[in-house]
């Protein structure tokens, strides 16, 4: 289903939506520096998604250094204190923030200064904290692109609806494939019967062929031997089906008669 549909192709978590947004804006996350503000579960999930997208340069800023180091050790990231953000911010192409701070950590002036030091290279800031970690006025700056958790939630909601559409197609695939699988399972019940029938036919052929070869070796007329071989083989092979057709007709069982005719290929359209 994941191969044939887009059921797994749309972000349905805020953390994944943030990573998807960053990947869409920047051509390659491998060449981007990401500043992660916070070290909780959400930021850890973001870091995992970033690593999965090829991001190699991450910086973790957190109030508690020990927690930041635990997170950073998983991804080979650099660790800084919150107070160091103004100094490091110009290096960041992408900023993703999620802390429990009651007040904004990154203000308009801080970002404005960072952009100047970056020589006005664009900066993406994604604030997924509630309350906000990044002042809303940052979005007024040129070359600073600010997205909040509300923006990401609208993306997530839209993607959930898209997955529902894909789920309909996925259910159709499940129905089709499961029907084929059950048909295959039922066909296995006929394997022994088919094997036995083929063996019986082959044994019959081998027995008559052996006698025909003996007749040829004894000097019999090849044409007569072949004619007798074909007649005996035909009679042997059609004996059981012929008897089954007669029995079904005598018993007045048209359904059984139809099945036998179909199995013998008598009702096939030419």
């Amino acid at each position: 289903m994941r191969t044939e549909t887009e059921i797994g192709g749309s972000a349905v978590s805020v953390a994944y939506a943030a990573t998807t947004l960053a990947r869409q804006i920047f051509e390659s996350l491998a060449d981007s520096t990401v500043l992660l503000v916070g070290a909780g579960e959400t930021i850890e999930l973001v870091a995992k998604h970033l690593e999965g997208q090829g991001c190699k340069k991450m910086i973790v800023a957190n109030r508690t250094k020990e927690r930041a180091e635990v997170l950073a050790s998983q991804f080979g990231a650099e660790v800084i204190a919150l107070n160091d953000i103004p100094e490091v911010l110009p290096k960041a192409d992408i900023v993703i923030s999620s802390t429990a701070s009651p007040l904004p950590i990154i203000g308009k002036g801080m970002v404005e200064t960072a952009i100047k030091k970056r020589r006005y290279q664009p900066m993406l800031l994604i604030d997924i904290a509630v309350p906000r970690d990044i002042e809303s006025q940052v979005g007024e700056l040129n070359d600073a692109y600010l997205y909040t958790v509300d923006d990401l939630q609208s993306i997530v909601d839209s993607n959930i609806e898209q997955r529902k559409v894909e789920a309909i197609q996925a259910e159709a695939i499940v129905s089709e494939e499961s029907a084929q699988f059950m048909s295959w399972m039922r066909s296995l019940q006929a394997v022994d019967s088919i094997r036995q029938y083929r063996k019986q036919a082959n044994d019959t052929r081998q027995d008559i062929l052996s006698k025909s070869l003996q007749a040829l070796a004894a000097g019999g007329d090849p044409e007569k031997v072949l004619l007798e071989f074909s007649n005996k083989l035909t009679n042997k092979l059609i004996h059981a089906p012929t008897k089954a057709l007669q029995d079904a007709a005598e018993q007045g069982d048209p359904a059984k008669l139809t099945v036998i005719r179909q199995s013998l290929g008598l009702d096939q359209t030419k």
Side-chain angles (χ1 to χ4, degrees):
M1 288 186 292
R2 288 181 176 273
T3 300
E4 298 184 23
T5 72
E6 291 297 322
I7 194 169
S10 302
V12 292
S13 73
V14 171
Y16 187 45
T19 307
T20 302
L21 179 62
R23 191 188 64 213
Q24 291 174 347
I25 293 177
F26 287 84
E27 185 173 341
S28 173
L29 294 185
D31 301 323
S32 303
T33 298
V34 181
L35 173 61
L36 300 173
V37 183
E41 292 182 1
T42 301
I43 288 295
E44 182 177 359
L45 189 55
V46 168
K48 288 180 180 178
H49 290 315
L50 287 171
E51 184 181 49
Q53 295 298 328
C55 182
K56 300 176 182 178
K57 179 63 175 178
M58 287 184 266
I59 303 171
V60 179
N62 194 53
R63 193 179 307 279
T64 305
K65 188 176 180 180
E66 290 76 12
R67 171 58 187 160
E69 288 177 342
V70 172
L71 175 62
S73 64
Q74 300 179 49
F75 307 101
E78 179 184 344
V79 175
I80 64 171
L82 293 182
N83 294 336
D84 296 327
I85 289 178
E87 179 183 347
V88 176
L89 193 57
K91 301 177 183 179
D93 302 299
I94 302 167
V95 178
I96 303 177
S97 186
S98 178
T99 74
S101 175
L103 298 173
I105 294 173
I106 299 174
K108 179 180 179 181
M110 187 189 304
V111 176
E112 189 172 20
T113 300
I115 290 176
K116 288 180 181 178
K117 291 182 178 180
R118 287 171 57 83
R119 297 182 180 179
Y120 301 97
Q121 291 182 11
M123 177 185 293
L124 171 65
L125 300 101
I126 303 176
D127 187 354
I128 52 180
V130 180
R132 301 286 180 261
D133 280 342
I134 303 174
E135 288 183 349
S136 59
Q137 292 83 354
V138 169
E140 301 171 2
L141 297 172
N142 293 329
D143 303 310
Y145 300 92
L146 175 62
Y147 290 83
T148 68
V149 67
D150 294 330
D151 298 320
L152 296 182
Q153 190 59 53
S154 66
I155 294 174
V156 169
D157 292 342
S158 175
N159 288 345
I160 288 175
E161 291 304 314
Q162 180 60 34
R163 282 199 176 188
K164 289 180 180 178
V165 173
E166 295 296 326
I168 296 174
Q169 183 181 353
E171 288 175 357
I173 293 174
V174 171
S175 297
E176 180 183 353
E177 295 295 335
S178 59
Q180 291 181 5
F181 176 75
M182 293 307 298
S183 176
W184 174 74
M185 287 288 289
R186 289 190 293 270
S187 73
L188 295 181
Q189 300 174 9
V191 170
D192 288 341
S193 296
I194 293 171
R195 184 183 296 113
Q196 184 179 357
Y197 182 62
R198 290 180 64 88
K199 182 179 185 303
Q200 183 184 67
N202 189 60
D203 288 347
T204 298
R205 177 190 63 82
Q206 192 63 43
D207 179 57
I208 298 174
L209 177 61
S210 178
K211 292 178 180 178
S212 297
L213 291 174
Q214 290 177 6
L216 288 172
D221 184 346
E223 184 175 348
K224 290 183 179 180
V225 171
L226 285 174
L227 181 61
E228 184 178 4
F229 169 78
S230 63
N231 288 336
K232 287 184 177 180
L233 181 61
T234 300
N235 290 334
K236 282 278 188 178
L237 292 179
I238 70 172
H239 174 72
T242 300
K243 183 68 166 58
L245 286 168
Q246 291 174 339
D247 290 345
E250 291 174 1
Q251 294 167 8
D253 192 341
K256 184 177 180 181
L257 186 62
T258 298
V259 171
I260 297 172
R261 286 182 59 85
Q262 289 175 344
S263 66
L264 296 175
L266 298 179
D267 295 331
Q268 292 181 355
T269 302
K270 294 184 179 180

